[in-house]
Amino acid sequence: MGERLGWRYAVLIPAVLAALSMIGPFSIDTPFPAFPELGRELGVGSEALQLIVTVYLGSFALMSVFHGPLSDAVGRRPVMACSIVVYVAASVGCALAGDLAVLLAFRALQGLSAGGATIVSRTVVRDLFDGAQAQRLMSRVAIIFGLAPAIGPILGGVLLQLGPWPLIFAFQAGLGVVLIAAVLLLLPETHPRERRVPLRVGAVLGGLVEVAREGAFHRLGWATALIFGAQFLYIGGAAVFVVDVLGQGELDFWKLFVPMIGAMMLGSWLCGRAAGRITARRLVSLGCTTSFAGGVVGVIVAATPAGDRMPWAVLGVSLIALGNGITYPTIQLMLLDRFPARRGAVVSLATFVALVLNAVTAVAVVPVIGGSALGFAVAALIGVGAGQLLWAWHCAVEDRDCAVSGEVGELEPVELL
């Protein structure tokens, strides 16, 4: 479809969708470099500052359940535009906050609203495209999406050189204004009225229940959540890992994020190149194995004296990220295609699962394992190992179902997606 409809669908719309998908992860770690300044100005310690991440993730997860189903009922553009308007207001509130309590309240509002862009933009991909083109577009979106965690702390550090910490949140507000204009002026409405579900509480919740009752959703959703969660240990705990474990400064977050996110972008690029050439199952298996190998390498390196030295300290997580880049776009399409009438609900519920896991990681896991590189590496290996087992389980169930029905397994290329 992209080639037939010209550059707007091949270039412009993918760029807008990628930018919309970035806003959620971008907002997580942009304030990281400002933590020392925030601690001094607000008179709080590092544990209290970690709430700036935790509150955002928790509220994002809470509202993520509803953004997708709402877009199934009222359309994609209204949900994205309205949510970004709220995000802009919340960002301004963060910039003007005079104490930690007020800052956390507006961070919660940021989290509640950011998912409207991040989640719904993924459903637009599948609304517009199918087959190998959908995978290629999802891969392009994932490449730009992957830039967000890398750009965030780097840009935050640059902004701190230009002004005080409120400038970071003022920049986020300005970004939101640009995205509102992009949604209203550049994106078509991809979910027509005749395909929408009723805007009723029962219909919205019914869609979520319909998705949650499907065993394949949990196997695929939790597999990708756990493997990405291994990478998120380092993202959510970057302030601890980079500064406390590696002994780096506030402008050194790039040493973690550039190789990690660069590897994820490379994986997404490989996923796009594989569209139509390699079966989805083989592609996901390759990505899961790569991430698991990264977990093993991370533990081995962390157990040596080089474990807290650059660049060796980020070798394992970079391999995990490479596997994530390969698997994530394909699994997203697998989930979307299982519920063509409930695409918003699928993405919402999958995002909720991942975010709850990430929030628990930030609150309960990072404080426990954050004292050493080995602690990070072991926790990451547990995550990728669990994700690998879930994917293997899903493949076994599919093989069994094919054998029972007498159908041949997935022999066609990824265009079946």
Side-chain angles (χ1 to χ4, degrees):
M1 186 175 184
E3 291 82 1
R4 291 197 302 269
L5 294 181
W7 72 275
R8 184 186 181 200
Y9 283 82
V11 178
L12 184 58
I13 287 179
V16 172
L17 293 175
L20 289 167
S21 72
M22 283 178 65
I23 195 169
F26 177 81
S27 301
I28 296 173
D29 56 8
T30 309
F32 281 171
F35 275 18
E37 183 180 335
L38 279 165
R40 291 190 299 269
E41 184 167 327
L42 302 181
V44 295
S46 58
E47 290 186 3
L49 290 172
Q50 188 66 25
L51 291 173
I52 294 174
V53 177
T54 305
V55 166
Y56 175 87
L57 287 174
S59 56
F60 193 116
L62 179 65
M63 190 61 191
S64 68
V65 180
F66 302 103
H67 286 302
L70 284 174
S71 75
D72 288 338
V74 303
R76 313 302 189 202
R77 289 178 64 196
V79 173
M80 288 190 288
C82 291
S83 65
I84 303 173
V85 168
V86 176
Y87 174 86
V88 170
S91 300
V92 172
C94 288
L96 298 177
D99 57 55
L100 182 63
V102 175
L103 177 59
L104 292 179
F106 281 109
R107 277 290 279 178
L109 190 58
Q110 266 193 327
L112 290 171
S113 56
T118 301
I119 294 169
V120 178
S121 61
R122 297 177 200 166
T123 68
V124 175
V125 173
R126 190 59 188 85
D127 289 342
L128 286 173
F129 299 88
D130 55 20
Q133 286 182 323
Q135 183 173 340
R136 280 192 287 268
L137 178 56
M138 191 72 83
S139 299
R140 292 173 195 166
V141 169
I143 289 172
I144 304 177
F145 170 85
L147 282 172
I151 292 175
I154 296 171
L155 182 58
V158 171
L159 290 171
L160 284 178
Q161 307 308 305
L162 303 176
W165 64 264
L167 185 60
I168 292 174
F169 296 106
F171 179 85
Q172 291 179 347
L175 175 62
V177 172
V178 172
L179 291 178
I180 292 170
V183 170
L184 296 179
L185 300 177
L186 301 177
L187 282 187
E189 175 54 65
T190 61
H191 193 56
R193 294 183 182 276
E194 61 270 16
R195 294 173 54 189
R196 297 176 190 175
V197 300
L199 183 57
R200 297 195 303 266
V201 173
V204 170
L205 296 180
L208 293 170
V209 171
E210 178 185 344
V211 173
R213 291 173 62 183
E214 177 71 36
F217 167 81
H218 291 284
R219 294 189 298 271
L220 292 171
W222 280 103
T224 189
L226 284 163
I227 296 175
F228 183 78
Q231 180 181 336
F232 186 82
L233 278 169
Y234 293 85
I235 297 173
V240 175
F241 184 74
V242 172
V243 178
D244 297 341
V245 175
L246 302 185
Q248 303 293 309
E250 65 181 25
L251 295 180
D252 293 325
F253 286 89
W254 67 269
K255 296 179 181 179
L256 166 65
F257 284 98
V258 168
M260 178 174 63
I261 302 306
M264 188 171 182
M265 293 171 64
L266 174 61
S268 298
W269 179 81
L270 292 172
C271 179
R273 293 291 295 173
R277 297 183 176 94
I278 302 176
T279 65
R281 180 165 168 170
R282 289 179 182 174
L283 194 60
V284 174
S285 295
L286 174 63
C288 288
T289 302
T290 302
S291 290
F292 183 74
V296 173
V297 169
V299 170
I300 293 173
V301 171
T304 70
D308 57 358
R309 300 174 190 169
M310 300 297 290
W312 310 110
V314 300
L315 179 59
V317 69
S318 296
L319 286 172
I320 292 173
L322 177 64
N324 268 320
I326 294 171
T327 60
Y328 184 81
T330 308
I331 288 183
Q332 287 285 298
L333 290 172
M334 286 179 173
L335 288 168
L336 285 166
D337 282 351
R338 283 188 172 268
F339 302 91
R342 297 286 189 176
R343 288 172 182 159
V346 170
V347 176
S348 275
L349 206 55
T351 303
F352 176 76
V353 166
L355 287 174
V356 167
L357 180 64
N358 292 341
V360 170
T361 295
V363 173
V365 179
V366 170
V368 174
I369 56 100
S372 69
L374 184 60
F376 273 94
V378 170
L381 178 58
I382 293 172
V384 293
Q388 176 88 313
L389 289 173
L390 280 169
W391 170 247
W393 180 22
H394 178 74
C395 292
V397 171
E398 281 199 331
D399 288 343
R400 183 199 64 196
D401 291 345
C402 287
V404 170
S405 64
E407 295 177 359
V408 179
E410 184 185 348
L411 298 177
E412 296 296 326
V414 182
E415 291 201 21
L416 280 179
L417 294 176

